[in-house]
Amino acid sequence: MAVLPMQAVNVIGLVKYIDEVVTVLGESGVFHPDEVSNFYTELQDFTHVPTNNTYAEHLANLKSALNRILFDYKIREFDDYDPAAEELEALSETIVSDIDLLCDEKEAAAERLRETRHNYSVTQQFAGLDVEIGELLKLKYMKAHFGKLPKESMPKLSLYKKNSKNIDFMVCTEDKTHCWGVYFAPVDQAEKIDRIFEGLYFEPTELVGGNETPGERIEIYKKEIPILERQVKEAQERIDRYLKDNDETITRCLSKLEELALYMGIRSKALQHGNSFIIVGWIPAEDADQLKRRLTKIRSVELDFSDAKEELDKRPPVKLKNAFFAKPFEFFTEMYGVPKYNEIDPTTFVAITYIIIFGIMFADLGQGFVLTIVGWLMWKLKKMKIGKILAPCGVSSMVFGTLFGSFFGFEHLLDPMYRSMGYKAKPFEVMASENTNTIIFAAIGIGVFLLIVAMLFNVYSSLKQKNYGRALFSTSGLAGIVFYSATVFGLYSEIFLAKHVMSTPYIMGLIVFPFILIFFSEPLTDLVNGEKDWQPESWGGYIVEKLFESIEVLLSYVTNTMSFLRVGAFVLVHAGMMLVVFVLAETVGGFGYWAIVVLGNALVMALEALLVAIQVLRLEYYELFSRFYSGEGRPFEPVKFMKENS
C-alpha cells in the first residue's frame, strides 16, 4: 500500500514559446497543473497569460453540427497530424458549414413533408364538402370557419339553432370524439356567433386550398407526399455520402480540436511577468526525466524540480500504487477520500480485511462460486469496477463455505469429502447450539484484533507526519492501544480464563495511567509537537469538557468492538435463511422442492450479497478508518487526452 512518489515542477520561459511548452506538458499525460499562487506569494507584478481558447469554440460548433446529423463520432490518436492553428480552424468551419447546409436542405424538405401530411390529414375530414375551398374563404358577407366540435356540444348547439336561424354547423365527417365541419357567420353577427362557438369548445383549423374542392385537394396531396418523401430520402443520402467521403477528415479535425482545447486549460493557469511566463504543477517522479528531456529542447525554458516531501504545505496530489490484487479496492479508498501525500494508503489493508470478512459472513461454496462468476462477467462485459471486487470476495466465500460445509445451503453435501480427508464430519457446524458462543466471541476477537491494527496504523501514520503527540496520546495512539488492549485482556482473563490479572498495579499502570494521558491529550500533544501556546485558556473548563468527552471516548471503544458482532450474526443469518428455504421446499415436496431451492438460493444470494457488501464496507469506514485515516488528500488529475480507439 503506497502513494506514488511525486515531484513539483516549475516551468519558466518566454511567452512566445508557451504554446510549445503547453503542448509538451499536455502530450505527456502526466502533468497535474496547479495554481501559481499555491507556490509563490509575491505575485503583485504578475498577470494571467492572455488565453483565448478558440479551439473550444470551434470544437463546440463542430460537435453541435455532428449532433444535428446524429453522427457517432470517435476521438482517436493521430500522431502524424499536426496542422497549424489557422488551418485547423478553417477546416472546422468548412465542415460545420457543409453539414449545416446539408441539414438545412433535409430539414426544409422534412418540414414541407410534415406540413403536407398535416394538411392532407385535415382536408380528409372535409372530403364530403363539394365546394371549392377558395370560394368559401373569399365570401364577402359571410365568414366560413372550418374546424371540429366535441360531440358533447352538439345537443347544446341544437338549442342555439332553434333560437337563431343564423347559427348552424355543417358536419362533413365524424370521429370518436368530434364532428368535423364548417359554420358560416354573417359579417355583422360574426363576433357574437364566434363567441357562441367558443363556448361550445369549437377548435378552428386552417384548410389550405384554392380553386379545388377538398376531394380534389386530397388527390393533389397524394401526389405531393411521395415526391417530398423522396426529397427527404435524397437529402439524407447526400448527408450519408458526405460523412462516408469525409469520415477520416472529420475525425482528425475533431480529435485535434479536442486535444488542443484540453491543453489550453494548462495555459489558463500560467502567469506572466514581462515577456516571461511561469507554469507550476506536479508529475510522478518516475516520469520526471522524460519530461525534462522534452522541455529542455524548447528555447528559453528553465525547469525546477523538487520532491513532494519537501512541498507538503502545498498539498501534493496523490496517485495510489497498489499490487494487482489490491488495486480494485482503490475504488473504496477513493470513495472515502484519497490519503494525504504523507498519510498511509489503506487500500491493501482494505483489500485483505474486506475479502476475508466478506467470506466469513457469506460462507457458502456454491453461492460463492456463482458470485465469483457474476463478478467476473460484470467486469469483462460491462467494465464495472465492483465486478473486480466481487470476484475475489466470491473466492473467499468459497473457502469459508468449504470450512463451514455449506454448498447452496446443503449443510452435509460435502461430508464425503471431509471423511476422505480423515475427518468424522465437517470442521465446523454453524447451526450447532454449542458453537453459537464461539461464533460470537470469534467475531468480537476479529474486531479487537483489527481495531488494534488500525490504531498501530495511526501511530505509524502520525510518526510519518511528525505528529508525535497524536502518535503517543490520542485515543488511537500508543496510550489508546495500551488502554484498550489491557482492558480487553484483563476482562477476558478474569471472565473466561478465571485468572486474576486485574491487580491494582495492572489497573493503575495499564488502564488508569494511559487513560489520564488520553484525557490530557490535547495539551500534551501541543507540548510534544513544540507548540508555544500549549496550555488551555482555562484548566477548569478543559477538565469539565473532557469529562463529558471521556464518556464518548469510552463508548467509542465499546461500540467499535461490538460492531463486529455483525460478522458472527451474518454467519448465523446465512445458515438460518437457507434453513427456512429448505423447510419451505420440504413442505411443498416433488418438483416444487427444487423450484423453491433454486429460487430461494437466488433470493438469498442477491439479498445477502448486497447486505454483506454494505455491512463490511461500513465496518471499514466507521470502525477502522476512523482510527487512522483522514482521506483529506486531493487526487492526482493530470491533463490527459483520452483517446478512444474506434
Side-chain angles (χ1 to χ4, degrees):
M1 45 187 176
V3 171
L4 193 70
M6 305 293 293
Q7 286 194 357
V9 56
N10 292 258
V11 186
I12 300 174
L14 294 177
V15 173
K16 64 180 179 178
Y17 298 111
I18 188 172
D19 286 335
E20 293 182 53
V21 172
V22 166
T23 300
V24 169
L25 292 174
E27 288 178 346
S28 71
V30 295
F31 180 70
H32 175 116
D34 207 342
E35 301 294 340
V36 177
S37 58
N38 193 29
F39 283 72
Y40 301 96
T41 54
E42 301 295 328
L43 298 173
Q44 55 268 29
D45 296 327
F46 284 77
T47 59
H48 280 281
V49 175
T51 302
N52 181 19
N53 194 350
T54 57
Y55 299 122
E57 181 182 347
H58 284 84
L59 178 64
N61 292 337
L62 181 55
K63 284 186 174 181
S64 177
L66 294 174
N67 286 332
R68 286 186 70 185
I69 54 176
L70 304 178
F71 181 64
D72 185 20
Y73 50 79
K74 303 281 187 183
I75 303 300
R76 291 169 48 199
E77 180 180 5
F78 294 99
D79 294 331
D80 59 339
Y81 185 57
D82 190 23
E86 297 79 7
E87 178 188 345
L88 185 66
E89 292 174 359
L91 177 59
S92 171
E93 290 174 356
T94 300
I95 295 172
V96 171
S97 176
D98 291 344
I99 292 176
D100 284 345
L101 181 61
L102 291 169
C103 286
D104 289 344
E105 290 177 358
K106 179 187 173 182
E107 289 172 2
E111 180 61 28
R112 290 195 300 271
L113 177 60
R114 279 193 296 271
E115 290 180 0
T116 303
R117 284 174 172 168
H118 172 74
N119 292 336
Y120 172 68
S121 175
V122 171
T123 307
Q124 280 185 311
Q125 305 298 332
F126 302 93
L129 190 63
D130 192 22
V131 181
E132 293 180 1
I133 300 171
E135 292 298 322
L136 292 178
L137 296 176
K138 290 189 294 184
L139 291 175
K140 185 174 181 180
Y141 299 105
M142 299 285 285
K143 289 180 64 179
H145 298 272
F146 298 92
K148 59 181 179 179
L149 197 65
K151 287 185 175 181
E152 293 85 351
S153 299
M154 296 303 289
K156 195 172 181 181
L157 175 63
S158 299
L159 296 177
Y160 281 115
K161 289 168 65 176
K162 289 180 181 179
N163 297 325
S164 175
K165 62 181 180 180
N166 291 323
I167 298 176
D168 197 5
F169 182 70
M170 182 185 300
V171 177
C172 296
T173 59
E174 296 184 14
D175 56 30
K176 291 182 179 180
T177 58
H178 289 80
C179 294
W180 292 77
V182 58
Y183 76 84
F184 298 92
V187 174
D188 58 342
Q189 298 183 40
E191 187 175 343
K192 174 184 175 183
I193 294 175
D194 287 345
R195 282 201 304 270
I196 290 174
F197 274 89
E198 274 184 41
L200 295 173
Y201 304 104
F202 176 79
E203 297 178 37
T205 187
E206 184 178 355
L207 194 61
V208 179
N211 298 324
E212 313 98 3
T213 65
E216 292 169 341
R217 177 46 90 180
I218 289 172
E219 293 303 317
I220 293 173
Y221 289 143
K222 285 181 179 180
K223 294 177 182 178
E224 288 181 349
I225 288 175
I227 296 173
L228 293 172
E229 288 175 339
R230 188 166 57 253
Q231 290 177 0
V232 172
K233 183 179 179 181
E234 290 172 352
Q236 182 60 53
E237 288 174 350
R238 285 193 291 273
I239 291 174
D240 295 339
R241 190 161 50 251
Y242 178 84
L243 293 177
K244 182 179 179 181
D245 295 341
N246 297 276
D247 178 72
E248 184 76 3
T249 302
I250 293 172
T251 305
R252 281 174 176 266
C253 181
L254 180 70
S255 299
K256 200 63 182 179
L257 283 172
E258 186 89 50
E259 182 180 2
L260 294 176
L262 178 67
Y263 297 164
M264 289 297 286
I266 300 175
R267 177 178 171 136
S268 66
K269 291 185 178 295
L271 292 186
Q272 178 179 354
H273 184 273
N275 294 325
S276 299
F277 72 87
I278 181 169
I279 296 175
V280 299
W282 307 87
I283 60 170
E286 61 190 17
D287 298 306
D289 290 340
Q290 183 178 0
L291 184 64
K292 185 176 182 179
R293 283 195 298 271
R294 292 194 63 187
L295 287 173
T296 50
K297 293 179 181 179
I298 302 173
R299 188 179 300 178
S300 84
V301 168
E302 295 181 8
L303 303 173
D304 179 43
F305 290 88
S306 58
D307 196 305
K309 291 180 181 178
E310 301 171 2
E311 308 286 357
L312 293 177
D313 59 321
K314 300 176 178 63
R315 296 185 66 234
V318 170
K319 183 179 182 180
L320 303 180
K321 183 180 182 181
N322 289 282
F324 73 95
F325 80 92
K327 193 166 185 63
F329 290 85
E330 290 178 0
F331 176 67
F332 286 158
T333 300
E334 291 169 352
M335 245 191 348
Y336 189 91
V338 298
K340 292 185 285 190
Y341 189 77
N342 59 344
E343 187 177 23
I344 191 172
D345 172 20
T347 304
T348 301
F349 176 69
V350 171
I352 295 171
T353 55
Y354 194 95
I355 291 172
I356 292 175
I357 296 175
F358 188 101
I360 295 173
M361 296 170 71
F362 191 80
D364 190 290
L365 175 58
Q367 294 180 4
F369 176 75
V370 173
L371 192 65
T372 303
I373 297 301
V374 170
W376 183 81
L377 291 175
M378 289 171 68
W379 168 247
K380 284 296 180 182
L381 300 181
K382 298 294 185 180
K383 298 300 180 186
M384 298 173 67
K385 292 182 179 180
I386 197 69
K388 295 184 77 172
I389 294 174
L390 282 180
C393 288
V395 173
S396 178
S397 298
M398 293 169 65
V399 172
F400 285 99
T402 303
L403 177 65
F404 294 166
S406 180
F407 184 82
F408 288 115
F410 292 94
E411 295 294 327
H412 297 284
L413 193 64
L414 302 177
D415 285 357
M417 181 185 72
Y418 300 128
R419 285 194 289 270
S420 68
M421 296 169 62
Y423 293 97
K424 293 182 179 180
K426 60 182 180 179
F428 192 82
E429 178 60 70
V430 173
M431 295 304 290
S433 58
E434 63 270 17
N435 289 333
T436 302
N437 287 339
T438 302
I439 294 172
I440 293 173
F441 291 131
I444 295 176
I446 291 172
V448 170
F449 173 75
L450 291 179
L451 286 172
I452 292 175
V453 171
M455 287 189 274
L456 288 171
F457 281 154
N458 177 67
V459 173
Y460 172 75
S461 186
S462 298
L463 293 174
K464 189 177 179 182
Q465 297 172 19
K466 297 182 180 181
N467 191 339
Y468 304 112
R470 190 178 72 181
L472 292 172
F473 307 120
S474 69
T475 56
S476 297
L478 189 60
I481 294 173
V482 173
F483 170 79
Y484 180 69
S485 303
T487 302
V488 171
F489 178 75
L491 292 174
Y492 178 76
S493 299
E494 294 282 346
I495 298 173
F496 298 103
L497 301 181
K499 291 184 179 180
H500 180 63
V501 297
M502 300 282 277
S503 61
T504 300
Y506 182 95
I507 294 173
M508 296 302 296
L510 298 178
I511 297 178
V512 175
F513 179 66
F515 190 76
I516 291 174
L517 294 179
I518 294 172
F519 189 90
F520 292 101
S521 60
E522 291 183 20
L524 288 173
T525 296
D526 291 342
L527 181 62
V528 170
N529 289 343
E531 300 288 341
K532 294 181 180 180
D533 189 17
W534 60 272
Q535 298 189 58
E537 294 182 3
S538 168
W539 281 102
Y542 176 84
I543 291 173
V544 171
E545 180 182 347
K546 279 296 179 180
L547 284 173
F548 288 101
E549 287 185 9
S550 296
I551 299 174
E552 183 181 349
V553 169
L554 293 173
L555 285 175
S556 71
Y557 286 121
V558 176
T559 55
N560 288 163
T561 305
M562 291 299 103
S563 283
F564 283 87
L565 280 172
R566 70 191 70 225
V567 177
F570 268 88
V571 173
L572 298 172
V573 165
H574 176 77
M577 290 175 70
M578 291 310 304
L579 179 62
V580 171
V581 170
F582 282 104
V583 169
L584 291 173
E586 289 171 0
T587 302
V588 175
F591 174 79
Y593 175 89
W594 290 107
I596 291 179
V597 168
V598 172
L599 291 175
N601 266 277
L603 179 62
V604 170
M605 275 190 287
L607 181 63
E608 195 172 351
L610 176 63
L611 292 176
V612 169
I614 293 172
Q615 292 302 323
V616 180
L617 191 61
R618 184 198 179 282
L619 289 174
E620 297 285 354
Y621 282 173
Y622 293 100
E623 270 59 63
L624 300 178
F625 275 26
S626 61
R627 291 285 171 186
F628 71 95
Y629 186 63
S630 69
E632 295 175 352
R634 58 171 173 160
F636 177 63
E637 296 175 337
V639 173
K640 190 172 184 179
F641 178 51
M642 302 303 294
K643 304 166 180 112
E644 182 183 353
N645 294 323
S646 59

